[in-house]
């Protein structure tokens, strides 16, 4: 099919693609503990039906975790096989009061579709479906569509699923539709992502709570102790102060501070922390954040010294760092700097590797050409991402000969993981055009 044919086919398919996306968004497929996992099952069934409708041999698989969907169609003679990845599970909504509309009832406002999963990552699922529908029975490559069911919850069973279906998943090109574009009107290929280590630090100063008047003064309460400890993770400028973490400068893409502050919703007057360019600080240097603290809520706090306090700490690792050594470095720091002789226990929750992709060669040329065509001549940016997709390193290890393309449907205003998550509908159609053209270009570049 020609580029003109594919553009017309995508335009024809978009109303149905949007309707199916809205149906997926209505399913609250949250894989976290404490939520109704029958909804994740519903979501997997819905995705499986979409893939069957595209003519793929499809099955729902699981290995101890939530259901994933694998659909595949053999390549024409001499043509390459492309694996298309997305995930159908979503983040919890948080406080529904913070949403303008119901999280699981998709609503269009000002050209954007609002709803949990509308961008991350059910639109990724539907971008794959849109490209397959555009080709119909004229698909020029073999495809494997792999839609995971617990990516937001840590992908605990992913390695087992891959191991069990390794031959089916083996491919020449892997397209991971779980990232974003540089801006509205500016496409991107993601070429690096930070790794992650999440851990807990708990300090203990008393055997049990005691009267704050009778014992306050000489005894350091646990919350004060924890707060003092957490401040040691950064220096006075907010630069990470943990020895042993890897970091570098030279990300090479300009991200103006005013744009960053606007997109991040930084409150007026708040100074940014750390050193280096914005892109250095979010792509190639480590970051440490305190995600939560176990403590009495203020309205129920008694006049008592708390015996213990616990924090969840997230460490984003620069490319080149290792989760095991990074965890050891942070644990050693916390144990060294805990004040006043308090007892401390540091425990690992989870870790994942950073990755760097060498985006050179015919597949990447094919992708850039597809993106530039879909965005009417605008060349894609090679960008890093401050977030983490640890399984990309797994794909790199298991499929070393495959070219890995990290693409996505999000833009800086999508609000993934937060309230009022949304998808720019105009950009979404460009993403669908780009993926169809990518399959066409890859077939032309790699078919023998």
């Amino acid at each position: 099919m020609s580029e003109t044919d594919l553009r017309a086919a995508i335009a024809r398919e978009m109303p149905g693609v949007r309707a199916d996306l809205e149906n997926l968004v209505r399913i609250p497929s949250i894989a976290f503990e404490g939520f109704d996992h029958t909804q994740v099952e519903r979501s997997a069934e819905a995705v499986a039906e979409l893939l069957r409708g595209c003519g793929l041999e499809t099955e729902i698989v699981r290995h101890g975790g939530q259901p994933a969907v694998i659909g595949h169609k053999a390549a024409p003679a001499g043509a390459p096989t492309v694996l298309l990845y997305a995930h159908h599970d979503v983040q919890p909504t948080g406080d529904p009061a913070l949403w303008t509309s119901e999280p699981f009832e998709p609503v269009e406002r000002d050209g954007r579709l609002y709803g949990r999963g509308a961008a991350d990552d059910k639109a990724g699922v539907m971008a794959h479906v849109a490209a397959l529908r555009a080709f119909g029975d004229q698909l020029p490559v073999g495809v494997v569509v792999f839609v995971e069911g617990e990516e937001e919850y840590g992908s605990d069973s992913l390695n087992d699923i891959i191991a069990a279906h390794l031959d089916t998943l083996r491919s020449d090109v892997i397209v991971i539709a779980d990232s974003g574009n540089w801006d509205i009107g500016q496409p991107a290929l993601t070429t690096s992502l930070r790794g992650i280590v999440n851990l807990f630090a708990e300090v203990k100063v008393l055997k049990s709570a005691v009267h704050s008047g009778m014992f306050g003064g000489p005894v350091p309460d646990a919350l004060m102790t924890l707060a003092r400890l957490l401040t040691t993770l950064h220096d006075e400028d907010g630069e990470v102060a943990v020895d042993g973490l890897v970091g570098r400068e030279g990300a090479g893409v300009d991200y103006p501070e005013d744009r960053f502050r606007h997109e991040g919703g930084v409150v007026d007057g708040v100074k940014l922390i750390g050193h280096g360019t914005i892109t250095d600080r979010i792509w190639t240097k480590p970051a440490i954040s305190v995600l939560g603290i176990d403590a009495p809520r203020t309205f129920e706090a008694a006049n008592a010294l708390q015996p213990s306090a616990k924090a969840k700490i997230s460490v984003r690792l620069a490319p080149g760092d290792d989760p095991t050594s990074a965890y050891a470095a942070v644990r050693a720091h916390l144990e060294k700097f805990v004040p006043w002789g308090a007892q401390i226990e540091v425990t690992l929750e989870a870790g994942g590797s950073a990755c760097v992709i060498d985006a050179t060669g015919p597949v990447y040329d094919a992708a850039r050409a597809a993106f530039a065509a879909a965005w009417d001549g605008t060349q894609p940016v090679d960008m890093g991402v401050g977030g983490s997709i640890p399984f990309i390193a797994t794909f790199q290890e298991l499929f070393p000969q495959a070219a890995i393309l990290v693409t996505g449907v999000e833009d800086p205003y999508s609000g993934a993981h937060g309230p009022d998550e949304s998808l720019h509908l105009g950009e979404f159609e460009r993403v669908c055009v780009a993926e169809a053209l990518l399959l066409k270009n890859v077939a032309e570049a790699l078919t023998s």
Side-chain angles (χ1 to χ4, degrees):
M1 297 176 70
S2 69
E3 178 180 329
T4 300
D5 293 336
L6 287 173
R7 286 180 177 275
I10 290 291
R12 181 188 69 239
E13 296 293 343
M14 285 310 295
V17 167
R18 174 174 170 177
D20 287 328
L21 173 59
E22 292 184 0
N23 288 335
L24 289 181
V25 171
R26 291 187 178 98
I27 304 173
S29 50
I30 303 170
F32 285 66
E33 291 183 2
F35 291 87
D36 181 3
H37 291 166
T38 63
Q39 300 295 341
V40 187
E41 300 282 348
R42 283 184 60 212
S43 183
E45 291 285 357
V47 170
E49 283 304 305
L50 291 171
L51 298 187
R52 292 183 186 113
C54 295
L56 275 61
E57 184 177 334
T58 302
E59 61 180 329
I60 296 174
V61 301
R62 74 187 74 235
H63 286 270
Q66 299 300 327
V69 184
I70 299 177
H72 59 93
K73 187 173 185 178
T81 296
V82 181
L83 188 154
L84 305 174
Y85 170 93
H87 63 87
H88 67 92
D89 67 307
V90 299
Q91 281 281 323
T93 62
D95 184 357
L98 298 177
W99 289 72
T100 304
S101 52
E102 290 295 322
F104 294 108
E105 182 51 48
V107 175
E108 181 181 350
R109 296 193 298 271
D110 299 322
R112 303 189 71 98
L113 185 68
Y114 287 81
R116 175 58 88 226
D120 183 18
D121 185 31
K122 291 178 176 178
V125 175
M126 292 311 303
H128 298 328
V129 171
L132 295 174
R133 288 177 178 174
F135 280 104
D137 59 4
Q138 301 181 61
L139 194 62
V141 295
V143 294
V144 181
V145 182
F146 180 29
V147 184
E148 191 187 353
E150 57 182 13
E151 191 275 342
E152 300 291 8
Y153 190 55
S155 298
D156 287 347
S157 67
L158 179 63
N159 286 354
D160 290 337
I161 292 174
I162 293 175
H165 301 274
L166 194 62
D167 289 338
T168 300
L169 297 174
R170 199 178 305 279
S171 51
D172 303 289
V173 179
I174 299 173
V175 179
I176 298 173
D178 194 20
S179 185
N181 288 305
W182 180 239
D183 201 355
I184 295 171
Q186 177 70 72
L189 280 174
T190 296
T191 56
S192 72
L193 298 101
R194 290 193 291 194
I196 188 170
V197 169
N198 280 352
L199 56 93
F200 300 99
E202 183 171 13
V203 297
K204 185 174 182 180
V205 296
L206 292 162
K207 295 178 180 178
S208 61
V210 297
H211 194 291
S212 62
M214 299 296 291
F215 294 94
V219 177
D221 68 78
L223 289 174
M224 178 172 61
T225 302
L226 180 62
R228 179 68 66 94
L229 175 61
L230 295 176
T231 63
T232 70
L233 295 169
H234 299 84
D235 66 18
E236 291 299 317
D237 295 326
E239 188 80 356
V240 170
V242 175
D243 290 336
L245 296 180
V246 172
R248 62 180 176 83
E249 297 183 350
V253 176
D254 181 42
Y255 195 170
E257 181 175 333
D258 57 349
R259 175 185 160 185
F260 176 79
R261 296 177 69 92
H262 175 67
E263 292 174 356
V266 181
V267 175
D268 289 345
V270 173
K271 296 180 180 179
L272 302 184
I273 62 174
H275 302 150
T277 66
I278 298 294
T279 48
D280 286 343
R281 281 179 270 178
I282 61 175
W283 295 353
T284 63
K285 299 181 72 173
I288 299 180
S289 304
V290 180
L291 302 184
I293 294 176
D294 291 340
R297 292 175 292 183
T298 55
F299 74 88
E300 61 186 11
N303 283 325
L305 305 183
Q306 293 301 309
S308 64
K310 184 177 182 180
K312 181 175 182 178
I313 300 169
S314 182
V315 187
R316 297 288 178 167
L317 311 180
D321 209 344
D322 171 71
T324 301
S325 62
Y327 169 66
V330 177
R331 182 182 62 193
H333 177 98
L334 293 167
E335 292 172 346
K336 177 181 178 180
F337 288 100
V338 63
W340 303 310
Q343 296 178 7
I344 182 167
E345 182 179 7
V346 181
T347 55
L348 176 67
E349 182 189 48
S353 297
C355 79
V356 176
I357 297 170
D358 178 12
T360 59
V363 172
Y364 298 97
D365 294 341
R368 291 187 177 95
F371 279 48
W375 270 267
D376 300 324
T378 301
Q379 293 295 322
V381 172
D382 282 7
M383 74 176 197
V385 169
S388 308
I389 310 179
F391 66 78
I392 294 178
T394 301
F395 279 117
Q396 288 177 313
E397 179 182 352
L398 294 177
F399 305 109
Q401 303 306 315
I404 298 178
L405 302 168
V406 183
T407 68
V409 299
E410 298 174 29
D411 63 74
Y413 306 98
S414 290
H417 294 206
D420 283 351
E421 176 183 346
S422 67
L423 174 73
H424 189 291
L425 292 168
E427 291 294 280
F428 178 53
E429 183 165 353
R430 291 184 185 273
V431 168
C432 296
V433 170
E435 181 156 320
L437 293 177
L438 169 62
L439 297 181
K440 172 181 181 294
N441 292 353
V442 166
E444 293 171 353
L446 299 186
T447 298
S448 58

